[in-house]
């Protein structure tokens, strides 16, 4: 009989739902607790590449993922006066090639949730309050239950990590940038395309995917750490407006729309780095353990692969968590390191520090399609991402 069959997962997003799927498939009994009242819809577009595509294939949902593809076609750069200055293929702009997929995070989450909702217990609108060494968990709702193991899949600001490993500041590595994203009216009439404006130290991007007639506005900017209240959205909107003040193109109009948006997201670009992703009967997976930051473009793939490996190692060790957690650490270490390295490197290409570098970058983008060394330049963009995305050999775990 499998040891430690009764497993609590905190967080029902990419890492949590895929972890639940694999654990169930291997005969464990996972329960998922999610702070939100339901599976979170919408969000932004995310990529699935390399080894993560293989995991999605093994989950049997590749067709659903392809059906949910954003089908983005082009990314166009505009100058301050709104003139088109360069256009590039959307896949190249997003660092994708071949079979790499792009999908809205909410759609992917729903695909994974649908796979598990009839066989896994989900506790919505609740959160872990305490975890004892022998697995007794109390919840914010007052509920108390005993589990054999607890898996923290509750994101970059993980509650499980705070309870078991301590303050986030020990593990957080600030990359020196902020990101903000929200839904806005599609006033540019975009159809499966993105529009980009790059100003020194500040970038604005607005896109519309196949799935929606509306648009998402994304802002990225270089900044010292900001002191703000995490639950004060109005304050965060003001910080964004201050950061973008003076940026032209469509930015003033986008900022007006941001004021009315109801799905406003604001955070620093921060990576989570830990020497060890487990302690006692608790392990972390996805952003909770090794957030690579949105700039890496690999957070979703790390979460998918991490869940596959952690569940697989538990199955291979017949539930012995000490053996499994050691193996998980060993199997994932290089893959995590390689993908985290992409974050600081990529963001330098997204936020351009000076007026001269902005001019130079736009000039290069404009000339690239006509340059003899074009393939080499493209390889310099996609090569490191491809290498990192494939830098793990997936085992075939027991069924
Ligand atoms: C703006 C932005 C753009 C991005 N772009 C990309 C991209 O292009 N490509 C890519 O691969 N990745 C991208 N990412 C990153 C990607 O979204 C994450 O890496 C990925 O979703 C990690 O999944 P996760 O399940 O580990 O964490 P999350 O998706 O953060 O999910 C954590 C879950 O835990 C829940 N939760 C939180 N606290 C508690 C609690 N106390 N109790 C219970 N539940 C809790 C949350 O509600 C959520 O459902 C982007 C992220 C952002 C923010």
């Amino acid at each position: 009989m499998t040891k430690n069959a009764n497993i609590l997962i905190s967080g029902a997003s990419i890492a949590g739902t895929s972890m639940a799927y694999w654990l169930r498939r291997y005969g464990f009994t996972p329960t998922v607790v999610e702070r939100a009242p339901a599976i979170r819809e919408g969000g932004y577009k995310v990529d699935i590449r390399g080894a993560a595509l293989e995991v999605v294939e093994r989950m049997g949902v590749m067709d659903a993922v392809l059906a949910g593809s954003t089908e983005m076609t082009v990314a166009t750069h505009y100058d301050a006066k709104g003139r088109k200055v360069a256009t590039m293929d959307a896949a190249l702009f997003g660092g994708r090639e071949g079979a790499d997929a792009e999908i809205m995070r909410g759609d992917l989450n729903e695909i994974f949730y649908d796979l598990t909702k009839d066989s896994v217990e989900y506790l919505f609108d609740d959160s872990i309050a305490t975890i004892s060494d022998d697995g007794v968990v109390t919840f914010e709702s007052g509920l108390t239950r005993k589990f054999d193991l607890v898996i923290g899949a509750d994101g970059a600001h993980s509650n499980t990590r705070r309870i078991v490993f301590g303050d986030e500041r020990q593990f957080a590595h600030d990359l020196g940038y902020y990101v903000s994203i929200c839904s806005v009216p599609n006033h540019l009439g975009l159809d499966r395309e993105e529009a980009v404006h790059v100003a020194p130290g500040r970038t604005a991007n607005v896109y519309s995917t196949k799935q929606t007639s509306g648009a998402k506005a994304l802002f990225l900017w270089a900044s010292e750490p900001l002191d703000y209240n995490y639950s004060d959205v109005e304050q965060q909107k003001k910080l964004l407006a201050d950061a973008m003040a003076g940026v032209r193109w469509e930015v003033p109009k986008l900022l007006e729309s941001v004021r009315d948006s109801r799905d406003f997201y604001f955070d620093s670009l921060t990576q989570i780095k830990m020497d060890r992703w487990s302690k006692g009967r608790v392990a972390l997976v996805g952003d909770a353990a090794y957030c690579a930051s949105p700039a890496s473009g690999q957070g979703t793939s790390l979460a998918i692969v991490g869940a596959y490996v952690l569940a697989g190692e538990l199955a291979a060790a017949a539930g012995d968590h000490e053996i499994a957690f050691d193996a998980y650490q060993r199997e994932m270490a290089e893959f995590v390191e390689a993908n985290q390295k992409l974050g600081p490197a990529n963001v330098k290409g997204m936020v351009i520090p000076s007026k001269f570098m902005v001019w130079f970058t736009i000039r290069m983008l404009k000339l690239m399609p006509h340059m003899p060394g074009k393939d080499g330049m493209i390889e310099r963009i996609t090569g490191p991402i491809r290498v990192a995305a494939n830098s793990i050999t997936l085992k075939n775990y027991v069924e």
Side-chain angles (χ1 to χ4, degrees), residues 14 18 46-49 52-71 96 99-115 210-211 300-301 304:
I14 308 302
S18 51
V46 297
D47 307 312
I48 311 175
R49 297 187 184 83
L53 285 169
E54 177 59 30
V55 175
V56 168
E57 189 72 64
R58 292 182 192 188
M59 292 169 88
V61 288
M62 187 55 92
D63 286 348
V65 166
L66 292 178
S69 163
T70 57
E71 290 187 10
R96 290 180 305 283
D100 295 348
E102 185 182 63
I103 182 169
M104 297 303 283
R105 186 176 81 150
D107 292 345
L108 182 63
N109 208 9
E110 206 171 308
I111 292 170
F112 290 169
Y113 174 64
D114 283 348
L115 271 183
K210 184 185 91 175
Q211 285 72 24
T300 304
S301 293
I304 292 170

Side-chain angles (χ1 to χ4, degrees), residues 9-18 32-40 43-49 94 96 101-103 105 108-109 123-129 139-140 152-160 162-163 179-182 207 217-220 265-269 285-304 350:
I9 300 167
S10 173
S13 180
I14 308 302
T17 50
S18 51
V32 184
V33 58
E34 164 60 51
R35 187 180 54 181
I39 283 290
R40 290 166 63 197
Y44 33 82
K45 48 191 179 56
V46 297
D47 307 312
I48 311 175
R49 297 187 184 83
R96 290 180 305 283
E102 185 182 63
I103 182 169
R105 186 176 81 150
L108 182 63
N109 208 9
L123 308 170
F124 286 105
D125 218 355
D126 211 347
S127 173
I128 298 174
F139 293 87
E140 296 289 351
D154 37 13
H157 303 296
S158 169
N159 179 47
T160 311
R162 183 185 51 77
I163 293 170
V179 60
S180 181
I181 186 161
C182 64
Y207 64 82
L218 184 146
F219 305 91
L220 259 179
Y265 172 89
F266 181 99
D267 207 348
S268 59
L269 286 192
V285 65
D287 275 7
Y290 30 75
C291 175
S293 91
S296 76
Q298 276 294 92
T300 304
S301 293
L302 278 172
I304 292 170
M350 297 170 176

